[in-house]
């Protein structure tokens, strides 16, 4: 029971994406839930394999975009019709066709910003320090190695059993992750 | 300091309260101006000032604008805090406030400005005892409320920081007292000989008081000689009269009576005494109300194209020297059989003269023949003879005694003076005003002879060429600083009253004469005294005097009509042989005259009528002649005449007579001031005593150099567009709506109509009346604090005038028709400029004004790009002079002085609109039609510009716009301008027109 | 691979990011507040004058009318500053040797104007006309504040364009009967709106928001 | 040149030519690209190039100071030609700034894998070009220090910008475009920063790249969201790109000036922008490819494709020119007709014909596969097009303005030395940024190259 606090989890290293994907599937099927996979590039289906249910990011972006558009138009409407109505070249106060470009730009701006910052926030970045970096060979996770991690927080986690389980996945090696 | 100045100018002030105008609201600037004038040390010494008129070239301008760094930085910083902190200002009230001066209210004083001695009545607008603007005096017969460029610009002349500011004795600062001493001792020595060695040299003197003073002086020194001299002399007119009548006389024309006018090389509509009145009378005879209206007809025979020639229905190109021949042929055709025909008849279309004469005979007593100032005496005499023969005497022309106190042949006198000096018989030379070293005939060589005189003194506004050679220079007071009087074109006397105490302690001509006569009286007392003596009959003189000063004219002082008969046998002597070789014609410059205005930035930058040139004088040649000589515009050529040579730039002038070259006086000044010095070339250098105006035997040689010229209009043809719509009178009668297009009659718009309740300001310009004189341009400049930018900037298209006078040619390049069109902001209702301004710095007012707000402008210039009329002007640099204290006083306190980087344009004189509106509101009454007068409209002699409320169907402007000649510039763009134009009509003589077509 | 960063950097990183956002907000607000302080707006700063003239004394205690000194306020754009003469009409009889009045006497003696420090200053590109405001029922104190309580004169309002427009866009909020224009102690009635609207009709007051009303 | 290998290349070869050189695996691509950044010694050519562009940039600084101190009068602008080099350069740079986002966004949506090796520096180029462009609207103002008035904020004047003005649209469009491009670029960089962090040997580098990478660790879930975000951004950036140059074209199309007032402007400007953008990408790609020996990553196939895009957009632009002329004739509008004739025969006619030669004639060579395969030829054509596009803007801005409605107000615009100083100055600034970029940031997207490797391997597997 003690070791649970002393380590963050177990990390298995694989040579190819296929191995990792397969391993991830097995682990999930084996009932592990607090698991994570690491790869130098996005791998089709890997997130699903580790039990990711898909992102709410698109919804956030949609809402932000709509907000941007509405506020953009009413900013202009207020300025031209309510704030200080002026006869500009005989054009009507609410020259809505002329307000379209700015409305559009603000829609895009809000949406794009929400996409980027939403992504970062949901990914919990920035995280300059992370236990997985304690794995000596983890530097290769951004080169040509593929890693699977079962966190100690996982209810099914037991150092020995889990390690043995992981060895069944034919990893290059399994290491304990310092917290 | 200011309060002092006011008390100094006291005498006039208490009367002129009656002139107090309803106009003008004060502003912070106005206080600031006062206080800065009072406190800055520079006020004492303008010599250290920065160049005032911005007329340096760009590069050197750059160097003096370091302060902009700071300005930019601080402005940017202020911007960050969202508001600009104002500097702590001081308020400097009076100690004892003159009761008629109300801070923030303008006062108007009646006075006069003179040109070559002849007065034009003016009203001077004064803010806190600072004259800021000149208007015509409606009560003056020579002005009728109009004013020309010269009088408008005299305000700048007053504040010119280059004016001399101290007595100079042989190059060192002297003092007035010291001068008086030396003068009296010099005169003391002359006493014995009765003043045999004394010469008094002045310009033309029409001033009765000054004349009286000079008379007194000449009594004291019986053998002293008084010489009047003008380089732009009117000798020909005087001698012409003498030739015709045996005595000097002054012709006065009545164009309102004339149906047919023949101008023999004369520019009577835009230059010379009375031209303002003549232009108005002329224009009134051409007002076309409807198809039933009649028009007078103007024939012009001239060598150098003039504005008058441009207005002519028929213009005949002849060398200046051939005009005499034409006059003789015309006289004979009219029936003066005694007149001898010219040896070699000039080339004239055969039908011309007979048709002209038939036309003349059609209107007995209602025609007029006018000879030009530069034409020889005989032409004038012939003109008089013809007028008499046509029964025009007493109808379209009458004669009075000469305006001059002592009419004389000025050119023979100046020749005599030079001879006397050479002979050493002149020991004391007193020069009042004139600048002989610059403008006397070159062969008299005053430059070398003046130093020969034992004692020479000069009273002058500037320390110029002549002053430099005299022992003494005495700074003269400007007309707006001095008391005096002068006669108008018909002899009417105006009293000149000071608006401000001499800025630089100058002395008026009367002060100077008072010293000569050893009088202790002030010039005010001298003038008043003179008139008291003249008007012994009036019951209450003080009342009379008060009225005189208020009206600006001395009641019934016009010279009485003289009944004269032309002597028999005029022109019966053999005509002068027409000179051989290339002809040279000398003309006064149209904006700086004989050079006296050379240091006036406004006049230097005022585009000269027809050429639209600024900052330069040119040698004009006809296209044909230019081809023969192998020269183009801007080619620098060497002009050789009578053994003297000068280098000049060529200007190819459509409509100029072939084989003739016109050069203009007044340029090439060597000591004019920072504006005028070394601008242009000095035509006077090749102008000998023998041929003041017209000579022959000129040689033209190419130098191979280019002489860059700055004209404000480079394209002279209409390129198939119709900015000006033209028809002949009978074409118009056949098709009255020829000027109107579909776009005007049924306008379409995507936008909902904007309703303008209450006032809706609009303007109408009658192209039939505009002579293109340019008076409005300077009036606008003075009213709206428009800056001067200098030749280099004008050349690259950065002039700042809010109103420009477009000039187009139509027809062959040799002898085209000339058309003028004043273009200012058109105040479009659907203004293209407004929509594109990113910061809404130009928007519409409830009264339909296109407003330009300088302090909001960020200077993207998008509005100007999008303005189809290109009437917007941009401050590419800091053009306004923020450094020269003397100029602060000149500015109109009711118009912002623009800074660098902002757009500006015509505002319909919104400051005047607001002033009137405020008054009307306070009195709870509607604004009367004609109550608001824009600066351009006010100055226009021919009443071409009318401004008013287009929502009021009875307003003058609405009536004009209702006429079928009314059209809008570029109306097909659907900008809906508030300014509209009335199409130009010509009234050609069908006979000649046909002949021309065939 | 070894950790590059210490555990704490995670927190630091996030704090600094959210902190930055919050900080910008705070700074914006601060700037806004600063801009409204009298340091920037110069409101309620009693400026030093050559003579410590007290409007309170002359208006409240002696009951002088505004127009006694500011003579041209009804006819001209400028209200007019009293010439030294005006001061001397009284002060040649009373307080004739009060030390604080020496500058006034000096000015009168050697006719050198007193140069006061401007309190209510507008930029040079603003053209304000007193007379028309007076004529339309805008009271002196509406803009100049409780002059009757000022020992040394201060500026009551920012005189920003925003402030001008506040009245130009809704005059009814400030108009008073012409009879009350020069009343330095006028209190607006509770039903100002109704009064104002009535006065707008009576005095033909328009909502002037054209730029050229003030800028030319 | 007859014996040059490219000559022998047959059509199919190019068509099927790989977009990645043979024999590359995850490790090799990673090491090769990160090596460029992490290598210790800076190459000499880099230092030289950097210094030259630095010198040019300081010219810009001087010019800017002069303009701020003395005013825009130091330029040749006047009335009627109120806009000169400033706006010309602005439009030119903005145009160049289009290829980057276009390549990354549109080609991403179109799943064009060949974009992978060029999108990174194309995006960088975009950002640098936009920042150059951004200078001009500010500088060309009479009172630049009041430029912030174009943006809405509660001021002491109760005033607002005039949202009817295309210049305000510009302000919003350009700033939005700059922001979005920057964000897009940055999220693309995050995984590569991680790569560099893990490869870097010296501590400062570790720390800097570490911070920039925000602790990216390549977690599957992160990759998932990262991809979603990139896709969304691509979807947003695509209309944005089109809108930006459309709005820039409004600056002219909304004017009534003959030669500006044309409905064809938006599409024709957008095409022109892509045209100019790709030309600039080629201009940069070809030398970079050479000096870093990236022939395996930026293959002949890439250049060929870009050549085709160049040709296609060039034709659209050509159509635009023809339409201008045709409409002028067809409308029968005297001003329009005069405008086009003046362009062809007037004061600036030489520039017009040069522009035709550069933008319409030259690209026709790209019809020939051989030409597209010739690196030298491609580079020359790209340069010619860069020039041509600048000339196009000159013709549009200046020749339209200098002869407008009233002949009386016609004038001529002559650029001054300060006009040129500002123009070449910004080129210097652009290069300066490019040099910094290729030295300190991965100029090819490493993680996307890895993805490419993966997919190539799949292909192989499939073929076997």
């Amino acid at each position: 029971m003690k070791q649970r606090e002393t380590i963050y989890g177990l990390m298995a290293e694989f040579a190819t994406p296929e191995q990792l994907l397969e391993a991830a599937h097995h682990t999930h099927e084996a009932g592990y839930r607090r698991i994570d996979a690491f790869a130098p590039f996005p791998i089709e289906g890997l997130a699903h394999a580790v039990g990711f249910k898909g992102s709410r990011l698109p919804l956030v972006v949609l809402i932000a975009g709509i907000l941007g558009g509405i506020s953009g138009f009413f900013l202009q409407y207020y300025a031209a019709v309510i704030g200080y109505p002026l006869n500009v070249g005989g054009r009507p106060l609410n020259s809505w066709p002329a307000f379209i470009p700015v409305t559009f730009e603000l829609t895009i701006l809000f949406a794009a910003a929400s996409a980027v910052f939403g992504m970062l926030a949901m990914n919990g970045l920035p995280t300059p320090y992370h236990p997985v970096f304690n794995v000596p060979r983890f530097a290769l996770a951004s080169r040509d190695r593929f890693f699977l991690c079962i966190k100690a927080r996982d209810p099914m986690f037991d150092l020995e059993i889990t390690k043995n389980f992981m060895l069944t996945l034919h990893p290059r090696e399994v290491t304990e992750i310092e917290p | 300091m200011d309060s002092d100045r006011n008390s100094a100018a006291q005498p006039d002030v208490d009367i002129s309260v009656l002139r107090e105008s309803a106009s003008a609201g004060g502003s912070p600037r106005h206080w600031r101006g006062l206080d800065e004038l009072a406190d800055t040390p520079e006020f004492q010494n303008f010599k250290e000032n920065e160049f005032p008129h911005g007329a340096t070239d760009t590069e050197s301008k750059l160097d003096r604008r370091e302060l902009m760094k700071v300005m930019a930085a601080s402005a940017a910083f202020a911007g960050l805090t969202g508001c600009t902190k104002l500097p702590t200002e001081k308020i400097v009230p009076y100690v004892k406030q003159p009761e008629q001066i109300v801070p923030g209210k303008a006062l108007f004083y009646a006075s006069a400005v003179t040109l070559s001695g002849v007065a034009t009545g003016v009203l001077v607008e004064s803010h806190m005892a600072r004259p800021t603007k000149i208007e015509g005096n409606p009560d003056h017969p020579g002005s009728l409320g109009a004013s020309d460029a010269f009088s408008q610009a005299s305000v700048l002349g007053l504040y010119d920081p280059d004016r001399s500011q101290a007595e100079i004795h042989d190059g060192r600062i002297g003092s007035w007292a010291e001068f008086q001493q030396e003068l009296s001792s010099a005169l003391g020595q002359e006493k014995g000989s009765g003043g045999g060695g004394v010469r008094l040299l002045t310009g033309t003197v029409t001033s009765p008081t000054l004349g009286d003073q000079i008379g007194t002086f000449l009594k004291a020194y019986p053998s002293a000689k008084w010489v009047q001299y003008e380089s732009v002399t009117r000798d020909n007119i005087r001698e012409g009269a003498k030739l015709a009548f045996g005595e000097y006389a002054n012709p006065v024309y009545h164009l309102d009576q004339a149906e047919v006018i023949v101008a023999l090389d004369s520019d009577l509509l835009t230059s010379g005494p009375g031209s303002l009145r003549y232009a108005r009378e002329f224009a009134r005879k051409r007002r076309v109300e409807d198809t039933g209206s009649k028009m007078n007809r103007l024939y012009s025979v001239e060598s150098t194209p003039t504005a008058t020639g441009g207005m002519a229905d028929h213009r005949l190109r002849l060398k200046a020297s051939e005009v005499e021949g034409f006059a003789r042929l015309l006289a004979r055709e009219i029936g003066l059989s005694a007149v001898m025909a010219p040896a070699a008849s000039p080339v004239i279309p055969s039908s011309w003269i007979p048709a002209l004469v038939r036309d003349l005979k059609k209107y007995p007593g209602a025609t007029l023949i006018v000879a030009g100032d530069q034409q020889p005496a005989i032409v004038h005499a012939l003109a008089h003879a013809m007028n008499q023969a046509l029964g025009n005497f007493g109808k379209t022309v009458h004669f009075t005694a000469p305006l001059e106190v002592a009419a004389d042949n000025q050119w023979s006198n100046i020749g005599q003076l030079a001879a006397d000096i050479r002979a050493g018989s002149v020991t004391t030379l007193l020069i009042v005003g004139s600048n002989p070293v610059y403008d006397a005939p070159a062969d008299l060589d005053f430059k070398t002879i003046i130093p020969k005189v034992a004692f020479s003194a000069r009273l002058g506004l500037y320390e110029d060429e002549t002053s430099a050679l005299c022992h003494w220079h005495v700074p003269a007071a400007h007309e707006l600083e001095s008391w005096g009087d002068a006669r108008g074109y018909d002899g009417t006397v105006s009293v000149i009253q000071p608006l401000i105490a001499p800025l630089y302690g100058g002395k008026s001509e009367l002060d100077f004469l008072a010293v000569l006569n050893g009088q202790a009286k002030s010039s005010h007392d001298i003038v008043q005294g003179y008139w008291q003596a003249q008007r012994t009959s009036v019951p209450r003189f003080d009342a009379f005097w008060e009225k005189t000063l208020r009206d600006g004219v001395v009641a019934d002082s016009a010279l009485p009509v003289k009944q004269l008969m032309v002597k028999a046998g005029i022109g019966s002597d053999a005509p002068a042989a027409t000179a051989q070789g290339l002809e040279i014609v000398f003309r006064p410059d149209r904006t700086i005259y004989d050079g006296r205005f050379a240091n006036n930035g406004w006049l230097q930058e005022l585009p000269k009528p027809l050429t639209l040139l600024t900052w330069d004088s040119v040698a004009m040649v006809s296209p044909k002649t230019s081809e023969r000589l192998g020269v183009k515009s801007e080619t620098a050529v060497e002009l050789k005449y009578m053994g003297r040579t000068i280098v000049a730039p060529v200007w190819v002038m459509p409509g100029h007579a072939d084989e003739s070259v016109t050069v203009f006086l007044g340029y090439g000044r060597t000591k004019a001031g920072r504006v005028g010095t070394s601008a242009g070339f000095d035509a006077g250098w090749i102008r000998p005593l023998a041929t003041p105006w017209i000579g022959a035997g000129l040689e033209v040689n190419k130098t191979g150099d280019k002489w860059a010229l700055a004209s404000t209009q480079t394209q002279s043809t209409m390129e198939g567009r119709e900015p000006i719509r033209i028809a002949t009178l009978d074409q118009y009668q056949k098709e009255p709506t020829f000027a109107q297009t579909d776009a005007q009659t049924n306008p379409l718009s995507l936008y909902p109509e904007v309703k303008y309740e209450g006032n809706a300001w609009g303007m109408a310009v009658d192209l039939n009346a505009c002579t293109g004189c340019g008076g409005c341009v300077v009036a606008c400049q003075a009213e709206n604090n428009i800056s001067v930018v200098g030749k280099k900037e004008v050349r690259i298209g950065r002039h700042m005038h809010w109103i420009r006078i477009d000039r187009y040619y139509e027809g062959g390049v040799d002898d085209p028709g000339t058309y003028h069109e004043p273009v200012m902001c058109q105040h479009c209702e659907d203004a293209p400029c407004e929509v594109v301004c990113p910061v809404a710095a130009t928007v519409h007012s409830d009264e339909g004004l296109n407003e330009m707000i300088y302090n909001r402008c960020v200077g993207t210039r998008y509005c100007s790009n999008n303005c189809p009329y290109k009437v917007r002007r941009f401050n590419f640099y800091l053009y306004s002079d923020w450094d020269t204290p003397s100029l602060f006083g000149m500015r109109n306190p009711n118009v912002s002085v623009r800074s660098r980087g902002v757009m500006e344009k015509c505002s319909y004189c919104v400051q005047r609109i607001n002033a009137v509106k405020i008054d009307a509101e306070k009195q709870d009454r509607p604004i009367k039609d004609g109550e608001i007068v824009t600066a351009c409209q006010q100055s226009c002699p021919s009443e071409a510009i009318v401004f008013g409320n287009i929502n009021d169907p009875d307003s003058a402007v609405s009536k004009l716009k209702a006429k079928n000649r009314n059209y809008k510039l570029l109306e097909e763009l659907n900008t809906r301008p508030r300014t509209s134009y009335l199409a130009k009509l010509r009234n050609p003589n069908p006979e000649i027109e046909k002949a021309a077509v065939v | 691979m070894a950790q590059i960063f210490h555990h704490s950097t995670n927190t630091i990183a996030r704090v600094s990011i959210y902190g930055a956002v919050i900080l910008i907000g705070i700074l914006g607000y601060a700037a806004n507040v600063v801009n409204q302080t009298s340091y920037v707006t110069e409101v309620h700063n009693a400026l030093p004058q050559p003579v410590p003239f007290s409007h309170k004394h002359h208006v409240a205690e002696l009951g002088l009318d505004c127009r006694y000194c500011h003579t041209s306020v009804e006819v001209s754009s400028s209200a007019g500053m009293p010439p030294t003469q005006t001061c001397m009409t009284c002060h040649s009889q009373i307080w004739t040797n009060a030390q604080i009045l020496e500058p006034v006497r000096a000015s009168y003696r050697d006719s050198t104007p007193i140069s006061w420090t401007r309190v209510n200053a507008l930029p040079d590109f603003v053209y304000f006309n007193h007379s028309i405001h007076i004529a339309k029922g805008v009271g002196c104190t509406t803009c100049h504040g409780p002059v009757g309580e000022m020992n040394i004169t201060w500026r009551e309002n920012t005189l920003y364009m925003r402030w001008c427009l506040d009245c130009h866009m809704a005059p009814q909020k400030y108009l008073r009967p012409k009879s009350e224009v020069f009343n330095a102690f006028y209190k607006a009635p509770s039903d100002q709106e109704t009064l104002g609207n009535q006065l707008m009709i009576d005095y033909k007051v328009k909502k002037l928001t054209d730029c050229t009303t003030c800028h030319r | 040149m007859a014996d040059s290998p490219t000559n022998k290349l047959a059509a199919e070869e190019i068509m099927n030519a790989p977009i990645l050189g043979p024999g590359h695996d995850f490790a090799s691509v990673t090491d090769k690209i990160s090596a460029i950044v992490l290598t210790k010694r800076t190459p000499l050519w880099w230092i030289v190039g950097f210094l030259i562009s630095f010198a040019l940039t300081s010219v810009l600084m001087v010019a800017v100071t002069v303009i701020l101190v003395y005013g825009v009068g130091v330029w040749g602008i006047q009335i009627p030609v109120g806009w000169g080099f400033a706006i010309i350069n602005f439009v030119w740079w903005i145009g160049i700034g289009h290829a980057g986002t276009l390549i990354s966004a549109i080609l991403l949506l179109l799943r064009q894998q060949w974009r992978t090796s060029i999108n990174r520096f194309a995006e960088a180029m975009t950002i640098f070009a936009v920042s150059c462009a951004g200078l001009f609207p500010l500088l060309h103002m009479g009172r630049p220090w009041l430029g912030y008035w174009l943006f809405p904020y509660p001021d002491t004047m109760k005033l607002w910008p005039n949202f009817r003005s295309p210049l305000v649209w510009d302000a919003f469009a350009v700033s939005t475009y700059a922001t979005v491009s920057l964000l897009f670029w940055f999220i693309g960089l995050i995984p590569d920063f991680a790569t560099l962090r893990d490869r870097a040997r010296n501590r400062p580098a570790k720390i800097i790249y570490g911070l920039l990478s925000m602790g990216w660790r390549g977690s599957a879930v992160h990759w998932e969201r990262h991809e979603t975000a990139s896709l969304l951004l691509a979807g947003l950036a695509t209309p944005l790109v089109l809108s930006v140059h459309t709005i820039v074209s409004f600056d002219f199309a909304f004017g009534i000036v003959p030669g500006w007032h044309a409905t064809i402007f938006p599409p024709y400007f957008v095409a022109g922008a892509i045209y100019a953008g790709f030309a600039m990408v080629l201009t940069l790609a070809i030398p970079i490819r050479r000096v870093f020996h990236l022939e395996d990553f930026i293959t002949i196939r890439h250049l060929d494709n870009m050549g085709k895009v160049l040709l296609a957009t060039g034709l659209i632009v050509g159509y635009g020119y023809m339409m201008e002329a045709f409409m002028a004739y067809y409308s029968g509008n005297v001003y329009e007709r005069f405008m086009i004739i003046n362009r062809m025969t007037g004061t600036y006619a030489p520039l017009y014909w040069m522009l035709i030669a550069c933008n319409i004639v030259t690209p026709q060579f790209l019809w020939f596969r051989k030409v597209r395969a010739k690196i030298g030829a491609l580079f020359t054509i790209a340069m010619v097009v860069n020039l041509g596009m600048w000339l196009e803007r000159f013709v549009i801005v200046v020749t339209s303005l200098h002869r407008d409605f009233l002949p009386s107000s016609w004038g001529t615009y002559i650029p001054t030395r300060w006009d040129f100083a500002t123009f070449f100055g910004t080129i210097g600034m652009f290069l300066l940024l490019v040099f910094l970029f290729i030295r300190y940031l991965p100029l090819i997207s490493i993680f996307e190259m890895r993805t490419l490797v993966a997919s190539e391997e799949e292909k192989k597997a499939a073929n076997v």
Side-chain angles (χ1 to χ4, degrees), chain B residues 841-890:
Chain B
T842 177
V843 296
H844 248 62
S845 82
D846 296 345
E847 301 179 333
L849 293 179
N850 178 312
E851 309 173 301
M852 179 70 225
I853 303 92
Y854 317 119
N855 40 299
R856 176 67 173 171
C857 178
V858 296
T860 66
R861 302 179 298 289
Y862 201 173
C863 53
S864 167
N865 288 348
N866 219 31
C867 170
Y869 311 95
K870 288 290 172 285
V871 289
R872 289 175 161 268
R873 300 281 169 250
F874 187 68
N875 292 271
F876 289 92
Y877 290 113
L878 184 65
Y879 290 137
S880 320
D881 187 320
W882 294 74
D883 317 325
T884 312
S886 73
L887 296 177
F888 300 160
M890 177 188 69

Side-chain angles (χ1 to χ4, degrees), chain B residues 742-753 830 971-976:
Chain B
D742 188 40
Q744 181 182 352
T745 40
N746 52 351
L748 306 162
S749 177
L750 278 174
Y751 310 113
E753 195 70 38
D830 293 354
E971 59 217 335
E972 61 272 36
L973 299 179
N974 211 5
T975 53
R976 310 194 161 187

Side-chain angles (χ1 to χ4, degrees), chain D residues 127-172:
Chain D
I127 288 152
F128 303 153
V130 170
S131 44
C132 287
L135 276 178
F136 287 104
L138 197 62
L139 286 181
H140 101 293
M141 283 186 193
R143 304 197 292 172
W145 51 89
L146 296 177
Y148 63 93
W149 280 358
L150 267 71
F151 292 94
Y153 70 100
D155 58 17
T156 61
M157 304 164 285
K158 214 172 187 299
L159 289 172
W160 299 93
N162 169 20
F163 287 103
R164 297 170 188 84
S165 165
L167 287 186
V168 173
W169 308 345
D170 256 353
F172 277 84

